[in-house]
Amino acid sequence: MPVLLCAACVPRPGPVDAAAPPPPQRFILKETPSTEPAATFQGTPVHNACAILTSDVLAAAGLALKDGFLQGGDRLSTTDGDRPDLAGKGLWASTCGGSVTVSGAPNLTDVSVNLHVLHSRFSQRMDWRDAVLEVDVRQVSESSPEDISMSIQTDYNILELRISGFTKLPDPEATLATLLDGIRRNVAQGPRSMPVHSYPAPYDLVADPCAAFPAEVFTTITARPTDGLQRDLFSLSETPGAEHNSVQMRCDRAGQVDLSEGIAPNVTVSQTVLSVPGSAVAAVREQCEFSRGEPLSRPIGEASCALPGTEGGQVLFRSGRSEVRVSVVAAKTDAATTRENLLKGAEAVYARLTPSP
């Protein structure tokens, strides 16, 4: 990375301790409000967990996401999926949270804060302006007395705030009260979309792993409609001075099936963005060789291969500084059709990706 290269070029007086570790290198995720409309369920706008459990709510309670990691979790992305015969028979959820650091207790470990928002047509109560209706705090289990789960009911939504390591906090009650106040304020503002997250230099990219993986690509690969949910996971993985520092992003979509149809098909698009320009081609080729990948009938970009699986398969290719993997599990088509559909889907993802600089 440029900072490390410049540091290596500057002469220093006296001997340098080769065993001394390099200084911490942290690229913190930036968060900005989304301009997209809120998602809907049964035609009604619904809350998104990451728009309720925001960084300012955590900060007010003396908490911050640990080391820049953020777990986006499930979020509602369409209206009732594409199977009207099954609409309303399931429960749609969004989650947000992750491990946190605690002000005044930097060495405190094993504390995480997660918010789970359940959308169900059976939980319709009042207009969202009535905000929080009731709060019920309880221990998760007798075997985990330090963990709590708190239920919060609003119109069309049931929220569950879960805190692991709750009793380890310096002032648990005050932390909980402050978190509740922040959540109430965000709920009172009405449903909003998940905020936009981005990584600064040297990556300079928006953390939106589902941007290149819309619902129609899922249908191309599986010959099935989605269930209306997408799972976004994005995190920072930095090792100062390593050859391949990386940002990892992943988007999952699943099909909507009856219980009699067995396991629903699942498709994952994962993107590993390397901090070193020009290293992605070698990384893909090395992975293809290591995993005994097979050549694609239609190669994608400068480096690509197919990695067969017993219930689906994977396609690996390079885009800019990214190593991209498209995977399908529990495909409901024959092996030859699955391979061809997976290749078509991977080509569609490749065409939609914005190459990282």
Side-chain angles (χ1 to χ4, degrees), residues 273 276-281 302 318-323 350 354-357:
V273 187
V276 181
S279 59
V281 171
E302 299 177 59
R318 173 256 189 180
S319 175
R321 276 196 283 149
S322 299
E323 178 183 340
Y350 179 77
T354 300
S356 51

Side-chain angles (χ1 to χ4, degrees), residues 221-341:
I221 295 174
T222 65
R224 297 263 181 150
T226 73
D227 63 359
L229 282 177
Q230 63 185 39
R231 181 172 178 83
D232 298 348
L233 294 174
F234 35 97
S235 64
L236 186 66
S237 177
E238 283 285 346
T239 304
E243 182 179 359
H244 296 305
N245 301 344
S246 65
V247 162
Q248 297 175 327
M249 301 186 290
R250 193 182 84 198
C251 178
D252 292 287
R253 294 188 187 276
Q256 194 175 47
V257 299
D258 286 309
L259 293 177
S260 60
E261 296 181 75
I263 300 175
N266 180 274
V267 178
T268 299
V269 176
S270 60
Q271 181 181 4
T272 303
V273 187
L274 305 177
S275 62
V276 181
S279 59
V281 171
V284 170
R285 289 174 177 168
E286 290 172 4
Q287 185 61 47
C288 288
E289 181 179 357
F290 176 79
S291 302
R292 299 181 180 179
E294 301 173 356
L296 297 172
S297 58
R298 299 185 300 276
I300 299 177
E302 299 177 59
S304 61
C305 68
L307 305 175
T310 56
E311 295 186 53
Q314 299 180 352
V315 168
L316 189 66
F317 61 85
R318 173 256 189 180
S319 175
R321 276 196 283 149
S322 299
E323 178 183 340
V324 184
R325 189 184 301 260
V326 183
S327 311
V328 59
V329 177
K332 304 297 181 181
T333 55
D334 62 88
T337 302
T338 296
R339 285 195 299 270
E340 177 60 24
N341 289 350

Side-chain angles (χ1 to χ4, degrees), residues 29-30 32 34-36 48 70 72-73 75-77 193-199 203-215 230-235 247-253 269-273 322 324 349 352-355:
L29 216 59
K30 295 180 179 179
T32 55
S34 173
T35 58
E36 296 180 358
N48 187 291
L70 179 68
R75 71 176 185 177
L76 194 66
S77 57
S193 294
M194 183 175 177
V196 176
H197 296 92
S198 61
Y199 290 98
Y203 304 100
D204 296 315
L205 54 84
V206 174
D208 188 358
C210 292
F213 183 29
Q230 63 185 39
R231 181 172 178 83
D232 298 348
L233 294 174
F234 35 97
S235 64
V247 162
Q248 297 175 327
M249 301 186 290
R250 193 182 84 198
C251 178
D252 292 287
R253 294 188 187 276
V269 176
S270 60
Q271 181 181 4
T272 303
V273 187
S322 299
V324 184
V349 170
R352 286 175 168 85
L353 278 173
T354 300

Side-chain angles (χ1 to χ4, degrees), residues 28-348:
I28 305 303
L29 216 59
K30 295 180 179 179
E31 181 178 283
T32 55
S34 173
T35 58
E36 296 180 358
T40 61
F41 175 65
Q42 302 291 321
T44 302
V46 297
H47 293 285
N48 187 291
C50 283
I52 299 175
L53 187 67
T54 50
S55 56
D56 60 310
V57 170
L58 292 172
L63 307 174
L65 290 167
K66 185 177 180 180
D67 297 329
F69 283 81
L70 179 68
Q71 299 172 6
D74 297 328
R75 71 176 185 177
L76 194 66
S77 57
T78 65
T79 304
D80 300 339
D82 302 307
R83 293 278 295 274
D85 56 314
L86 296 180
K89 296 183 179 180
L91 303 176
W92 281 256
S94 67
T95 60
C96 191
S99 298
V100 296
T101 58
V102 182
S103 299
N107 297 323
L108 191 62
T109 59
D110 301 326
V111 177
S112 64
V113 177
N114 290 275
L115 184 68
H116 178 97
V117 182
L118 184 66
H119 309 299
S120 167
R121 70 176 187 174
F122 304 113
S123 64
Q124 297 181 10
R125 301 236 187 253
M126 299 181 182
D127 188 86
W128 62 264
R129 295 178 184 84
D130 291 314
V132 175
L133 300 180
E134 65 178 78
V135 177
D136 175 32
V137 181
R138 59 181 175 82
Q139 289 184 349
V140 174
S141 66
E142 292 184 2
S143 60
S144 301
E146 72 280 4
D147 301 342
I148 68 160
S149 178
M150 173 174 42
S151 297
I152 311 168
Q153 293 187 1
T154 71
D155 69 303
Y156 304 97
N157 297 267
I158 298 176
L159 286 62
E160 183 180 79
L161 181 68
R162 178 168 293 199
I163 305 176
S164 68
F166 177 73
T167 58
K168 300 177 183 178
L169 293 171
D171 192 341
E173 290 75 15
T175 299
L176 180 59
T178 305
L179 287 173
L180 272 176
D181 286 343
I183 289 173
R184 284 192 179 98
R185 287 195 299 270
N186 281 335
V187 169
Q189 293 182 39
R192 292 172 293 168
S193 294
M194 183 175 177
V196 176
H197 296 92
S198 61
Y199 290 98
Y203 304 100
D204 296 315
L205 54 84
V206 174
D208 188 358
C210 292
F213 183 29
E216 57 264 29
V217 174
F218 177 91
T219 301
T220 296
I221 295 174
T222 65
R224 297 263 181 150
T226 73
D227 63 359
L229 282 177
Q230 63 185 39
R231 181 172 178 83
D232 298 348
L233 294 174
F234 35 97
S235 64
L236 186 66
S237 177
E238 283 285 346
T239 304
E243 182 179 359
H244 296 305
N245 301 344
S246 65
V247 162
Q248 297 175 327
M249 301 186 290
R250 193 182 84 198
C251 178
D252 292 287
R253 294 188 187 276
Q256 194 175 47
V257 299
D258 286 309
L259 293 177
S260 60
E261 296 181 75
I263 300 175
N266 180 274
V267 178
T268 299
V269 176
S270 60
Q271 181 181 4
T272 303
V273 187
L274 305 177
S275 62
V276 181
S279 59
V281 171
V284 170
R285 289 174 177 168
E286 290 172 4
Q287 185 61 47
C288 288
E289 181 179 357
F290 176 79
S291 302
R292 299 181 180 179
E294 301 173 356
L296 297 172
S297 58
R298 299 185 300 276
I300 299 177
E302 299 177 59
S304 61
C305 68
L307 305 175
T310 56
E311 295 186 53
Q314 299 180 352
V315 168
L316 189 66
F317 61 85
R318 173 256 189 180
S319 175
R321 276 196 283 149
S322 299
E323 178 183 340
V324 184
R325 189 184 301 260
V326 183
S327 311
V328 59
V329 177
K332 304 297 181 181
T333 55
D334 62 88
T337 302
T338 296
R339 285 195 299 270
E340 177 60 24
N341 289 350
L342 180 57
L343 177 55
K344 290 179 179 178
E347 290 171 332

